[in-house]
Amino acid sequence: MLSKEKTIADVSSWANIFDDLLRRIASLTRSPRHHIRMTAVCRSWRASLTDQKINFPAVCLMLREGGNCGNYYFYSTLEEIFDELNLPELRGSRYWGSPFGWLVTHGFNCEIRLFNPFSRASFPLPKNHAFMEKLMLSINPEEPNSNCIVFAIYWDFLDRGRIGFAKPGDLAWRTLSYDGDDDDDGFKFLIDDAIYFKGNFYGCLNSGEIVLFEDLHGAHPKAVEFASRPPRFHGGCTCYLFALGENLCMTYRDPYDDDDDYEYKGYTIFKLDMDTKSWKRIYSLGDRSLFLGNCCTFTVAAADYPGCKPNCIYSTEESIHVEGIYIYDVEKNRDKDIGLEPFPISQRVEQILPSLSSPVWIIPYPL
């Protein structure tokens, strides 16, 4: 039987393992759970594995346990929890997911940060005292020479639908003006979503128009009208922007009134021709899966992410409960209105208590 002194000595020697050997071992695990556990062994291991790239091909729901508990669960589209993390850094914060493995958080103290729940890395952003409706990332902040910009859609005291942007390290948010007309009530333009697409930033208004964000690095950043609303557009619905190949697309949920029971059924999808600025309704996402809700709107190639269904929309819109997560099969609904199907939840997830934090989509280790 090993002595206590021998055990301590062994721990010390493991802490001093060569970096190259440790990284080689980590690369062979092919498991986010093992990778996270290895970084938690000691400071030297964490430092050695900070830049270790690990690909975990799964889109996950990040779920918070109810009450004051700081436990968070990451439930993949493969219908399994791949990890459970205690994240005290998120206590008292709202957060939005992304396809880059990062969250954008907004605390009760009005502090906004980029936070990676797996590496625990973070970047500060300027404070903002307004009510944040949505925070979105342009690109992965960890990319070489990253010029990541965070967009904020928020409500000020007197103005609705304002938008600002900032980069990590900035001292203040910059706001965007709009050259278009105010609505009939005299409010500022209402913007639902924004996306970084082919080197530019675009946004969609609640009225269906598309705007282009110009001069973001100049003295007078502004939003200018880029395309009119799609034909037969039904206003009053939240619009989402996403990329599909070389085209910019927009989708929104269709409301219908059946015997005074007002519900939402399905999605309408339009594709924008970037040259002619004309819209065309489409009935397929091809091999892509689209993710909407409390996150940056994004698509993935279903074949690259096991568990994802091609030509489907995954939605956590307006939901703070797991039961409110749905899948919309675009192909099945082409000729008939089937509606939204409940997201398949395992028994283990059903046992997670609901909280006031909405489930968010996140890709922990993007390809």
Side-chain angles (χ1 to χ4, degrees), residues 15 29 47 63 66 95 120 158 160 165 174 185 188 190 193 214 223 240 266 274 282 301 304 313 332 335:
T29 63
L63 308 169
Y95 45 86
R120 304 293 178 90
L158 298 176
R160 300 170 58 201
F165 64 97
R174 302 187 67 189
D185 296 325
K188 297 292 184 180
L190 297 177
D193 202 6
E214 291 185 338
Y240 297 91
M274 301 297 286
I282 60 175
D304 293 337
I313 299 174
K332 286 183 179 179
D335 299 319

Side-chain angles (χ1 to χ4, degrees), residues 257-275:
D257 192 353
D258 183 15
D259 295 330
D260 297 325
D261 185 14
Y262 190 75
E263 297 182 19
Y264 285 97
K265 296 285 285 186
Y267 289 84
T268 296
I269 308 171
F270 287 99
K271 179 175 68 174
L272 178 66
D273 187 302
M274 301 297 286
D275 296 322

Side-chain angles (χ1 to χ4, degrees), residues 95-343:
Y95 45 86
W96 291 260
S98 80
F100 311 119
W102 287 76
L103 303 170
V104 191
T105 70
H106 184 217
F108 289 148
N109 56 4
C110 299
E111 288 186 352
I112 302 178
R113 304 185 70 85
L114 291 175
F115 176 67
N116 190 312
F118 308 99
S119 67
R120 304 293 178 90
S122 66
F123 298 115
L125 291 159
K127 283 189 175 184
N128 195 313
H129 295 271
F131 175 78
M132 291 293 158
E133 186 171 326
K134 191 170 186 179
L135 286 161
M136 301 153 288
L137 288 175
S138 61
I139 59 175
N140 191 335
E142 289 185 305
E143 288 184 0
N145 302 317
S146 174
N147 193 27
C148 177
I149 293 179
V150 178
F151 269 74
I153 300 175
Y154 60 93
W155 288 39
D156 213 335
F157 293 106
L158 298 176
D159 297 326
R160 300 170 58 201
R162 296 180 65 85
I163 187 167
F165 64 97
K167 295 186 294 185
D170 283 354
L171 298 178
W173 289 86
R174 302 187 67 189
T175 57
L176 284 153
S177 62
Y178 179 47
D179 286 349
D181 297 329
D182 289 346
D183 62 22
D184 294 337
D185 296 325
F187 290 117
K188 297 292 184 180
F189 66 102
L190 297 177
I191 186 163
D192 283 340
D193 202 6
I195 186 175
Y196 181 72
F197 178 67
K198 299 178 71 171
N200 290 299
F201 292 89
Y202 298 87
C204 58
L205 306 187
N206 188 260
S207 55
E209 286 88 359
I210 302 298
V211 296
L212 169 65
F213 300 120
E214 291 185 338
D215 199 27
L216 296 186
H217 302 287
H220 304 287
K222 60 183 178 180
V224 298
E225 185 173 345
F226 183 78
S228 59
R229 70 187 67 183
R232 297 180 296 280
F233 174 81
H234 300 292
C237 304
T238 301
C239 303
Y240 297 91
L241 277 183
F242 65 97
L244 196 65
E246 296 298 311
N247 295 100
L248 192 62
C249 295
M250 182 177 72
T251 187
Y252 58 89
R253 290 175 70 172
D254 291 316
Y256 83 110
D257 192 353
D258 183 15
D259 295 330
D260 297 325
D261 185 14
Y262 190 75
E263 297 182 19
Y264 285 97
K265 296 285 285 186
Y267 289 84
T268 296
I269 308 171
F270 287 99
K271 179 175 68 174
L272 178 66
D273 187 302
M274 301 297 286
D275 296 322
T276 64
K277 311 294 192 304
S278 60
W279 293 98
K280 177 183 179 181
R281 184 170 180 179
I282 60 175
Y283 299 88
S284 176
L285 300 175
D287 64 348
R288 311 294 292 186
S289 303
L290 173 62
F291 292 85
L292 312 176
N294 200 32
C295 64
C296 305
T297 305
F298 65 91
T299 65
V300 299
D304 293 337
Y305 290 87
C308 290
K309 297 180 180 180
N311 204 17
C312 283
I313 299 174
Y314 292 76
S315 171
T316 61
E317 291 183 275
E318 303 173 356
S319 171
I320 62 172
H321 301 291
V322 175
E323 295 84 357
I325 304 168
Y326 296 96
I327 303 176
Y328 178 77
D329 191 312
V330 179
E331 179 62 30
K332 286 183 179 179
N333 286 273
R334 180 166 185 170
D335 299 319
K336 55 184 177 180
D337 190 6
I338 295 177
L340 307 180
E341 300 175 8
F343 184 73

